[in-house]
């Protein structure tokens, strides 16, 4: 009997693999598009490589292993918790062995996943969505129409995030931390400053609203320190930051059909 904490190679005929493809359909398809964009950038627009599909399948197989090793499928495949667990999985001896035996696609898919979920290369994402994002829509801070995402069932539910809206929020704030332009940011390989997208109304409460809350009016770019502070600081410091964001964006939220009181927003961060 195999150790349940061992990373194993998954067949495409595996029922769990098929279920993962279905449950994470939107997320995996967006990841595939990201990988295709990278391939086209590196090999030209006429590149016929099928690597993106292989990476997508490899990532789905990794999620099957994730569920078996940790005992559950992640609620949100792009959450900090999921990312940290994926890093731990990557360091397992059994992962290294299987990766080497299967052409190293697992590790390549995992590294692509880390880049995809952390927006480490936003310029590539911008180019990938160039036909969807016009200069006018970036300046207005909104892409029309904005449709609500459908729930995708894992063990529970998560709501897919549109990477374009995070990019727009960063461009609207000229690639500075929303709390202060003086906050120092390190540069990535492409020369852009590293920022993290923060939803003022947390995405876990998506179902409380009649319209999508995954849109630029509800997203602000934060430096890593501020992003962790607004989630993990003591309550009085955290509330001060939340009140500042609320006062800055309450009118924009209302214009986009998102109505929420300050007290309700504060209560979301206490849960």
């Amino acid at each position: 009997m195999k150790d349940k904490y061992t990373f194993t190679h998954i067949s495409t005929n595996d029922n769990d693999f098929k279920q993962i493809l279905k449950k994470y359909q939107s997320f995996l398809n967006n990841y595939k598009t990201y990988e295709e964009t990278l391939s086209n950038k590196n090999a030209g627009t006429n590149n016929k490589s099928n690597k993106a599909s292989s990476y997508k399948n490899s990532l789905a197989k990794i999620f099957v292993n994730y569920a078996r090793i940790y005992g559950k499928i992640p609620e949100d495949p792009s959450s900090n918790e999921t990312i940290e667990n994926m890093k731990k999985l990557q360091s397992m001896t059994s992962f290294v062995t299987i990766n080497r035996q299967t052409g190293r696609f697992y590790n390549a898919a995992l590294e692509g996943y880390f880049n995809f979920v952390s927006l480490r290369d936003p310029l590539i994402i911008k180019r990938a969505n160039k036909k969807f994002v016009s200069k006018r829509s970036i300046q207005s801070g909104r892409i029309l129409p904005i449709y609500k995402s459908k729930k995708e069932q894992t063990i529970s539910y998560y709501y897919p995030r549109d990477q374009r809206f995070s990019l727009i929020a960063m461009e609207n704030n000229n690639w500075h931390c929303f709390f202060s332009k003086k906050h120092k940011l390190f540069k990535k390989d492409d020369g852009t400053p590293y920022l993290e997208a923060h939803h003022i109304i947390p995405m876990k409460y998506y179902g409380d609203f009649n319209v999508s809350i995954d849109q630029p009016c509800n997203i602000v770019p934060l430096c890593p320190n501020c992003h962790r502070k607004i989630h993990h600081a003591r309550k009085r410091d955290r509330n001060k930051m939340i009140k500042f964001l609320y006062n800055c964006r309450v009118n924009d939220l209302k214009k986009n059909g998102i109505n929420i009181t300050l007290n309700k927003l504060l209560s979301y961060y206490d849960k």
Side-chain angles (χ1 to χ4, degrees):
M1 181 177 180
K2 291 185 178 180
D3 186 337
K4 67 177 181 178
Y5 297 111
T6 297
F7 186 96
T8 60
H9 178 57
I10 306 297
S11 168
T12 53
N13 293 321
D14 190 294
N15 287 331
D16 289 341
F17 170 76
K18 295 176 181 178
Q19 290 177 11
I20 287 291
L21 287 180
K22 183 178 180 180
K23 291 175 181 178
Y24 288 161
Q25 181 179 4
S26 179
F27 179 84
L28 289 171
N29 285 339
N30 286 336
Y31 167 76
K32 178 184 175 183
T33 299
Y34 173 78
E35 290 289 1
E36 285 175 338
T37 304
L38 288 177
S39 296
N40 290 339
K41 178 192 175 188
N42 295 328
T45 55
N46 294 322
N47 174 46
K48 300 298 182 180
S49 172
N50 199 37
K51 281 188 176 181
S53 293
S54 297
Y55 289 153
K56 172 188 172 182
N57 287 340
S58 294
L59 184 59
K61 294 175 182 179
I62 292 172
F63 277 124
V64 173
N65 274 282
Y66 184 110
R68 294 176 180 177
I69 291 170
Y70 295 111
K72 64 177 181 178
I73 299 174
E75 178 179 353
D76 181 350
S78 60
S79 70
N80 289 335
E81 179 184 5
T82 303
I83 293 170
E84 289 304 312
N85 283 336
M86 291 286 255
K87 289 179 180 178
K88 293 176 183 177
L89 188 151
Q90 187 182 33
S91 66
M92 293 176 62
T93 301
S94 53
F95 175 90
V96 175
T97 300
I98 294 296
N99 177 62
R100 184 171 58 248
Q101 294 174 350
T102 54
R104 305 184 188 279
F105 269 95
Y106 282 120
N107 195 66
L110 200 49
E111 288 296 331
Y113 158 83
F114 291 142
N115 288 332
F116 174 62
V117 297
S118 63
L119 275 177
R120 288 183 181 138
D121 199 345
L123 294 180
I124 289 178
I125 294 174
K126 180 179 179 180
R127 283 192 289 271
N129 293 286
K130 187 174 181 180
K131 64 181 180 180
F132 301 109
V133 184
S134 66
K135 182 176 181 181
R136 181 178 179 181
S137 66
I138 290 176
Q139 291 175 340
S140 68
R142 187 177 183 189
I143 295 178
L144 294 174
I146 296 177
Y147 300 103
K148 291 198 69 176
S149 302
K150 293 182 179 179
K151 288 183 177 180
E152 294 189 15
Q153 185 175 7
T154 57
I155 286 179
S156 53
Y157 295 97
Y158 78 95
Y159 295 96
R161 293 157 172 76
D162 193 318
Q163 303 274 3
R164 292 175 295 165
F165 299 151
S166 296
L167 176 62
I168 290 171
M170 292 178 186
E171 290 183 338
N172 284 343
N173 206 54
N174 295 317
W175 294 88
H176 294 297
C177 176
F178 195 83
F179 285 108
S180 177
K181 294 181 179 180
K182 296 181 180 179
H183 289 179
K184 293 184 178 180
L185 305 170
F186 64 84
K187 295 293 182 65
K188 297 176 290 184
D189 287 340
D190 61 10
T192 58
Y194 179 80
L195 287 163
E196 297 176 353
H198 173 71
H199 286 78
I200 300 171
I201 302 172
M203 282 291 285
K204 64 186 294 186
Y205 299 107
Y206 192 100
D208 290 358
F209 299 86
N210 294 325
V211 299
S212 173
I213 58 172
D214 184 34
Q215 50 179 301
C217 64
N218 189 45
I219 303 172
V220 292
L222 300 180
C223 67
N225 186 61
C226 284
H227 199 187
R228 281 151 184 75
K229 183 178 179 181
I230 200 169
H231 285 293
H232 305 296
R234 55 186 176 179
K235 186 173 180 178
R236 67 181 184 185
D237 293 331
R238 187 175 72 240
N239 284 356
K240 183 177 179 181
M241 299 175 76
I242 297 168
K243 289 177 183 178
F244 174 78
L245 294 181
Y246 179 83
N247 290 331
C248 288
R249 288 294 180 84
V250 61
N251 290 332
D252 288 338
L253 290 170
K254 289 180 180 179
K255 289 178 182 177
N256 287 277
I258 303 172
N259 296 298
I260 187 171
T261 64
L262 175 58
N263 287 337
K264 185 66 175 179
L265 181 60
L266 291 172
S267 72
Y268 282 163
Y269 285 79
D270 287 335
K271 296 179 180 179

